[in-house]
């Protein structure tokens, strides 16, 4: 006569059956496994390399006003994303991951991927980097399509890890339970349990890595892309950089006539921090001011007044060893006649 | 991802509790261990001797 199963045993059996079915449904692609966060942001890569100061860090695409009927992506990607598309302008900031379809004369169209660095207006080059150290360039005239790559969904890798690791763990646990139950004595059961745990643990770790790799590959294929065809009737790259705020003027210290001018002049004429560094070769520097050097007349000894032209450009390099003619520089009340003065 | 972890935790909890009841151990304790440790708790329970066998071999009980 079979004893009636206790309520607790019935509850455990029912719970085990239902949870097992749920796990099986999860692994078989049931909607329960849709723990995937769809990517809604653009992918941004770090760009850490010395760049010219005049290189704009934003690329602006404009859409033709007559393109309202065509299918062009016009979604706002993320609240704080690095690239935004609003209306008829798309702004792509430095670091945004791009896929550029370009076509050189006489060659087949090709695709280059990388992070956007800047737009070299003087040469008409679109600069990007693939490894963060070297720059690649594409002629703007040869660009046929700019595709902004979105972030890969974050759930794929986790799902791959779970599918691979937990599935193997469940399978190894079930195998180990059957193996242990088939043993007669405790020692054999212990040995079987240890062996199954060791083998199952190792297999689970391997499956975790494989699952992560598979999930990552799936995520790369599933990431959203926002194409911007560059064509006369579609998007166009704005040649002018976006309006930048006016740079504040460099601080200018008033130069007072001092008795020890030779000691103060080197620091007063030191370049201010706001002065941009010298651009690399290839980039035309800004034209230097064409103000000719002013020959100062000797100021009268009765009323010494500081000459306004004495406040020279902050970029002028001092030359303490320059033998300036004493007659070319006004004498201040503290100076002795005949002493060499620095211009 | 959290949902997947919860599903597997519940499954291993019920599996461990069911095995614990078959082996004569405390069901509630092993259910908690199964939820927390998953397959590891199940394997540890499998290595434990049956409570009924221990009671038979222990003269003090």
């Amino acid at each position: 006569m079979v004893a009636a199963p206790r309520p607790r045993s019935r509850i455990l059996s029912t719970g085990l059956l239902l949870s097992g079915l749920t796990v099986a449904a999860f692994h078989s692609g049931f909607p329960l496994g849709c723990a995937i966060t769809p990517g809604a942001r653009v992918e941004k890569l770090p760009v850490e390399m010395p760049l010219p100061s005049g290189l704009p860090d934003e690329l602006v695409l404009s859409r033709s006003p007559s393109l309202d009927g065509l299918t062009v992506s016009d979604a706002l990607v993320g609240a704080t994303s690095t690239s935004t598309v609003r209306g008829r302008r798309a702004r792509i900031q430095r670091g945004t991951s791009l896929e550029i379809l370009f076509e050189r004369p006489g060659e087949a169209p090709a695709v280059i991927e990388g992070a956007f660095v800047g737009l070299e207006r003087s040469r008409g080059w679109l600069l990007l980097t693939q490894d963060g150290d070297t720059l690649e360039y594409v002629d703007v005239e040869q660009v046929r399509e700019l595709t902004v790559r979105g972030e890969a969904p974050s759930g794929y890798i986790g799902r791959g890890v779970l599918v691979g690791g937990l599935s193997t763990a469940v399978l190894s646990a079930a195998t180990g339970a059957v193996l242990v139950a088939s043993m007669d004595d405790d020692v054999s059961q212990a040995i079987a349990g240890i062996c199954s745990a060791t083998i199952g643990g190792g297999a689970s770790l391997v499956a975790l890595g494989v699952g992560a790799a598979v999930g990552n590959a799936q995520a790369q294929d599933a990431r959203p892309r926002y194409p911007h065809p560059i064509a006369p009737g579609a998007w166009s790259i704005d040649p002018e950089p976006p309006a930048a705020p006016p740079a504040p003027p460099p601080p200018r210290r008033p130069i007072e006539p001092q008795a020890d001018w030779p000691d103060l002049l080197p620091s007063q004429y030191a370049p201010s921090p706001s002065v941009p560094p010298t651009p690399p070769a290839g980039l035309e520097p800004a034209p230097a001011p064409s103000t000719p050097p002013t020959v100062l007349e000797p100021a009268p000894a009765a009323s010494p007044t500081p000459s306004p032209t004495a406040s020279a450009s902050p970029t002028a390099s001092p030359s303490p060893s320059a033998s300036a003619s004493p007659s070319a520089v006004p004498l201040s009340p503290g100076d002795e006649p005949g002493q060499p003065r620095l211009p | 991802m959290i949902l997947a972890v919860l599903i597997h935790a519940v499954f291993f909890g019920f599996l461990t509790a069911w095995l614990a009841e078959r082996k004569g151990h405390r069901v509630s304790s092993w259910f908690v261990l199964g939820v927390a440790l998953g397959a590891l708790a199940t394997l540890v329970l499998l290595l434990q001797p049956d409570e009924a066998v221990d009671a038979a071999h222990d003269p003090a009980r």
Side-chain angles (χ1 to χ4, degrees):
Chain A
M1 181 176 178
V2 180
R6 292 182 294 174
R8 187 175 66 180
S9 176
R10 187 175 302 174
I11 292 173
L12 290 177
S13 301
T14 305
L16 180 62
L17 182 63
L18 290 178
S19 60
L21 290 175
T22 305
V23 169
F26 173 79
H27 287 288
S28 61
F30 195 72
L32 275 175
C34 293
I36 298 171
T37 303
R41 298 169 57 90
V42 297
E43 183 183 53
K44 188 175 181 183
L45 304 175
V47 178
E48 299 175 356
M49 61 174 62
L51 297 171
S53 60
L55 189 67
D57 60 351
E58 192 176 59
L59 179 67
V60 181
L61 304 180
S62 297
R63 190 172 60 172
S64 170
S66 61
L67 198 65
D68 293 338
L70 296 182
T71 55
V72 176
S73 65
D74 197 8
L76 175 62
V77 285
T80 58
S81 63
T82 58
S83 294
T84 56
V85 177
R86 290 188 181 274
R88 297 193 173 94
R89 300 181 78 87
R91 296 179 179 273
I92 301 173
Q93 299 199 2
R94 180 173 294 165
T96 304
S97 179
L98 297 179
E99 291 179 1
I100 300 176
L101 174 67
F102 64 98
E103 184 177 4
R104 289 181 177 153
E107 297 181 7
V111 176
I112 183 172
E113 302 175 355
F116 171 71
V117 175
L119 178 63
E120 180 58 52
R121 288 180 291 116
S122 60
R123 291 186 172 87
W125 289 349
L126 198 63
L127 302 177
L128 63 159
T129 178
Q130 295 178 332
D131 54 2
D133 292 328
T134 56
L135 280 178
E136 308 283 342
Y137 73 92
V138 177
D139 197 343
V140 172
E141 301 294 330
Q142 301 170 356
V143 174
R144 297 293 173 258
E145 188 176 71
L146 268 175
T147 302
V148 178
R149 301 200 298 185
E151 283 187 350
S154 59
Y156 276 105
I157 297 178
R159 187 185 187 191
V161 168
L162 282 176
V163 170
L166 287 181
S167 299
T168 309
V170 169
L171 187 63
S172 61
T175 305
V178 170
L179 190 64
V180 169
S182 66
M183 298 298 171
D184 297 330
D185 56 341
D186 293 340
V187 176
S188 300
Q189 286 183 348
I191 294 174
I194 292 173
C195 291
S196 62
T198 305
I199 297 173
S204 298
L205 289 176
V206 172
L208 278 173
V210 171
V214 171
N216 187 33
Q218 289 180 342
Q220 299 301 322
D221 296 335
R223 63 167 61 198
R225 287 177 167 80
Y226 309 100
H228 300 84
I230 307 298
W235 295 89
S236 62
I237 298 176
D238 282 0
E240 294 296 327
R252 301 177 62 133
R253 297 173 52 184
I255 300 176
E256 299 291 340
Q258 300 288 341
D260 50 349
W261 262 47
D263 295 331
L264 291 178
L265 270 176
S267 61
Q268 287 181 345
Y269 281 91
S272 64
S274 62
V275 173
T278 306
L283 291 179
E284 298 179 6
S290 59
T291 307
T294 304
V295 176
L296 303 175
E297 296 296 333
S303 58
T305 56
S307 170
T309 56
S311 59
S313 167
T315 59
S317 56
S319 54
S321 61
S323 57
S325 169
S327 62
V329 182
L331 296 176
S332 64
D335 287 336
E336 297 181 7
Q339 272 194 345
R341 291 287 313 279
L342 295 174
Chain B
M1 186 170 178
I2 296 177
L3 182 64
V5 172
L6 286 177
I7 290 174
H8 288 82
V10 169
F11 168 72
F12 280 109
F14 275 109
L15 176 64
T16 309
W18 180 76
L19 287 175
E21 191 195 25
R22 296 290 293 267
K23 294 172 76 73
H25 291 271
R26 292 190 63 180
V27 176
S28 57
S29 303
W30 282 104
F31 178 81
V32 173
L33 285 175
V35 170
L37 302 178
L40 184 61
T42 308
L43 283 175
V44 170
L45 178 63
L46 289 174
L47 296 177
Q48 298 291 324
D50 293 346
E51 281 293 332
V53 176
D54 276 352
H57 286 279
D58 191 356
R61 297 192 181 180

